[in-house]
Amino acid sequence: MPKTGFVHLVGAGPGDADLLTVKAARLIAQARLVVHDRLVGQSVMDLIPKDAELISVGKESDHHIMPQPQINALLLKLALEGRDVVRLKGGDPFVFGRGGEEAIHLAQHGVGFEIVPGVSAAVGCAASTGVPLTHRGLATSVRFVTGHMRENDGLDLDWASLADPACTLVIYMGIANAGKISERLLAAGLDATTPAMLIESGTTPDQRVKATTLAMLPQTIADHHFHPPSLMVIGRVVDVGAQLAAGLGKR
Ligand SMILES: C[S@@+](CC[C@H](N)C(=O)[O-])C[C@H]1O[C@@H](n2cnc3c(N)ncnc32)[C@H](O)[C@@H]1O
């Protein structure tokens, strides 16, 4: 019976390898076996040793290559074989990453693991577009919200509490439901002219950004063909981005 292995649940950040934590970069550079999602940035994938074993369990909304229970079972099997597994996940493992489910499965079977945090897409995209998620006088809180619902049949969110002009909303996985999201927030009282921003493939060489308004979000997505992975940022802080533009990235 081999000695039980260990699983490192590692956040790969939003795309740019320079945004990896020092610990994540070290684990990736030393990895012998990597189980990764499709969202892990190419520049991060390039840091994996060429002779390491790679297993892709890539998932994107509606394109699940491997269902979650199978991913859980795979991680457990590899650990029970005595392997040291780097489980590489986009952004942060515990922010809409199902890292909790993987960790619970390992814990239930007595397998050791650690969580290595990563820069979540909201934080990475905010930095790369110059939109502060909170800002004195404009936003006293920020909420990370999923725009993707199980079975794809309804967005069971507390719209009244989300429609707070002093709170920045960052919607993950919401592109396909942008029409419903915009409609519900307007119905709950958020102003139609509330600034909004779309960010596709943030922090990568393919990053695309478009500023719009809450009412115009669905139209902007259609006109400019935004696709996953994209974030929607809704709130007054989006306008601060324009003020930062003159200096952001300037040397
Ligand atoms: C399954 S969630 C994973 C989130 C990840 N755990 C995190 O902390 O960023 C995938 C969603 O995150 C968002 N996302 C991830 N990376 C992104 C990026 N580089 N640019 C824009 N959105 C991104 C998109 O909304 C995408 O559909």
Side-chain angles (χ1 to χ4, degrees):
M1 195 78 168
K3 187 175 173 301
T4 302
F6 191 84
V7 179
H8 312 266
L9 286 157
V10 179
D16 180 357
D18 282 352
L19 297 178
L20 284 170
T21 63
V22 173
K23 184 168 185 176
R26 176 169 51 77
L27 286 168
I28 292 168
Q30 294 171 350
R32 304 306 313 139
L33 169 60
V34 178
V35 177
H36 67 95
D37 288 343
R38 194 184 304 181
L39 263 187
V40 174
Q42 190 53 49
S43 65
V44 174
M45 293 300 293
D46 291 343
L47 300 177
I48 300 172
K50 296 290 167 262
D51 58 349
E53 189 182 336
L54 279 187
I55 302 177
S56 169
V57 293
K59 49 185 165 129
E60 241 171 41
S61 182
D62 294 332
H63 297 284
H64 288 244
I65 288 180
M66 193 183 281
Q68 190 63 47
Q70 251 172 275
I71 299 175
N72 299 348
L74 172 70
L75 295 176
L76 178 63
K77 174 180 157 292
L78 293 167
L80 291 177
E81 286 169 0
R83 308 291 302 270
D84 192 74
V85 185
V86 172
R87 169 69 177 114
L88 202 48
K89 302 172 79 68
D92 182 87
F94 277 179
V95 179
F96 302 128
R98 305 190 75 170
E101 293 166 55
E102 295 175 12
I104 286 172
H105 192 68
L106 295 169
Q108 281 171 344
H109 291 84
V111 168
F113 59 88
E114 68 175 342
I115 318 293
V116 181
V119 172
S120 192
V123 181
C125 290
S128 69
T129 56
V131 171
L133 294 176
T134 64
H135 194 74
R136 214 134 85 102
L138 293 180
T140 49
S141 64
V142 55
R143 284 176 75 172
F144 295 176
V145 182
T146 175
H148 171 79
M149 289 290 130
R150 271 184 214 199
E151 315 302 334
N152 248 349
D153 65 353
L155 283 165
D156 188 18
L157 297 170
D158 180 354
W159 299 102
S161 85
L162 289 173
D164 172 3
C167 175
T168 305
L169 300 178
V170 185
I171 319 255
Y172 288 66
M173 299 170 283
I175 288 293
N177 286 324
K180 282 185 210 156
I181 292 166
S182 166
E183 217 174 80
R184 305 275 161 84
L185 288 172
L186 291 169
L190 211 51
D191 199 281
T193 60
T194 303
M197 178 171 267
L198 288 154
I199 305 129
E200 180 181 292
S201 299
T203 81
T204 77
D206 300 324
Q207 171 170 300
R208 290 203 300 141
V209 179
K210 195 80 202 155
T212 180
T213 61
L214 174 61
M216 290 302 293
L217 252 181
Q219 193 60 49
T220 310
I221 290 169
D223 289 349
H224 297 272
H225 309 287
F226 272 86
H227 295 293
S230 293
L231 281 184
M232 299 187 278
V233 180
I234 301 168
R236 303 184 292 205
V237 290
V238 167
D239 279 349
V240 181
Q243 294 175 49
L244 267 57
L248 188 68
K250 190 174 164 188
R251 281 169 211 290

